[in-house]
Amino acid sequence: MENRPEFILTVEGVTKTFQGFKAISDLNFYMDRGELRTIIGPNGAGKSTLLDLITGRCRPDRGKIEFGKDTDLTRLNEYQINRLGIGRKFQTPSVYINHTVYENILLSLHGNRGVFAALFARTSSEQDARIRDILQTVGLGAHAETLAGNLAHGQKQWLEIGMLLAQDPKLLLVDEPAAGMTDEETRKTGELLVSLAGKHSVIVIEHDMTFVRQIARKVTVLHQGTVLCEGPVDEVQNDERVLEVYLGRKKKAAH
């Protein structure tokens, strides 16, 4: 019998309703380990709700969500899911604005217990090397001693991605990272996310199609809480169903 590939994330038959509104409807979604997946869809398609379900912010009415081979996420709370190695970055960056960039990463290191202990205990050479490696990865190596509150918008986004990396996540969930960025910041963000794929599995939710084209390997289109189509970005962009959902029109049939 042929072995089934080991998905890092399996979502099958998932439905979630809020006060009569079906936000997710019999959704099936599969993601390979080390994959970079982009999820797009119009407002109300269920994109953020899907991330909420994966991270335990809410529970499905029915269906299963598995992490790796056999970890049932629907039985765990947010804290337990985070400890498994699932990290989420929201659209608005959340950093410690009164601490330096270096201290932000230090506070986020996997295994740290409390702000006081992290900031006032002696930093080991291994921790220091890890922090500086993360700062180089996210393009903030020259800003280690800068207060996070003084960073530009894009830099705060990169710092928050660095803070997630410090937790050594297996799966990164990134919600609209290009929002509010300059063109140059957007380009650098795309390069960063592409560089993380392989070592990490990454789901990116995005509206900016220029950014999607930059990073996309495989695109999943959600509509009314279910998968409308899935595939390479060029194929998805030219799909008649996607054109209809996004542009409200169908291609005219040839006469």
Side-chain angles (χ1 to χ4, degrees), residues 37-40 212 216-221 229-233 236:
R37 178 73 64 88
T38 310
I39 300 178
I40 65 173
V212 169
R217 301 299 182 268
K218 185 176 184 179
V219 178
T220 298
V221 183
C229 71
E230 208 166 59
V233 64
V236 163

Side-chain angles (χ1 to χ4, degrees), residues 155-175:
Q155 292 173 321
K156 286 177 183 171
Q157 299 277 28
W158 304 332
L159 176 56
E160 190 171 22
I161 291 173
M163 292 164 71
L164 283 180
L165 294 178
Q167 299 168 28
D168 202 21
K170 298 179 181 71
L171 174 62
L172 271 166
L173 310 176
V174 186
D175 199 349

Side-chain angles (χ1 to χ4, degrees), residues 195-232:
S195 77
L196 297 178
K199 184 178 180 182
H200 308 272
S201 306
V202 186
I203 293 177
V204 180
I205 286 179
E206 190 51 70
H207 280 293
D208 184 332
M209 286 307 296
T210 301
F211 182 69
V212 169
R213 283 192 294 272
Q214 179 190 346
I215 68 168
R217 301 299 182 268
K218 185 176 184 179
V219 178
T220 298
V221 183
L222 293 188
H223 177 52
Q224 295 179 347
T226 196
V227 174
L228 182 69
C229 71
E230 208 166 59

Side-chain angles (χ1 to χ4, degrees), residues 21-46:
F21 172 70
K22 196 174 279 189
I24 297 289
S25 178
D26 196 25
L27 176 67
N28 296 315
F29 178 88
Y30 307 91
M31 184 175 177
D32 293 326
R33 192 173 297 277
E35 182 185 353
L36 170 60
R37 178 73 64 88
T38 310
I39 300 178
I40 65 173
N43 289 331

Side-chain angles (χ1 to χ4, degrees), residues 42-60:
N43 289 331
K47 304 183 297 297
S48 293
T49 302
L50 174 58
L51 298 195
D52 287 345
L53 290 165
I54 293 168
T55 55
R57 290 191 97 197
C58 61
R59 297 183 187 276

Side-chain angles (χ1 to χ4, degrees), residues 7-20:
F7 298 117
I8 192 162
L9 187 66
T10 301
V11 179
E12 287 186 341
V14 167
T15 294
K16 179 63 181 177
T17 302
F18 296 101
Q19 296 177 332

Side-chain angles (χ1 to χ4, degrees), residues 125-177:
S125 57
E126 289 83 6
Q127 285 177 317
D128 180 70
R130 173 96 175 110
I131 291 167
R132 295 193 184 279
D133 180 59
I134 290 169
L135 292 180
Q136 288 297 327
T137 297
V138 299
L140 294 174
H143 297 277
E145 301 309 316
T146 302
L147 282 179
N150 293 336
L151 295 175
H153 173 71
Q155 292 173 321
K156 286 177 183 171
Q157 299 277 28
W158 304 332
L159 176 56
E160 190 171 22
I161 291 173
M163 292 164 71
L164 283 180
L165 294 178
Q167 299 168 28
D168 202 21
K170 298 179 181 71
L171 174 62
L172 271 166
L173 310 176
V174 186
D175 199 349
E176 295 192 42

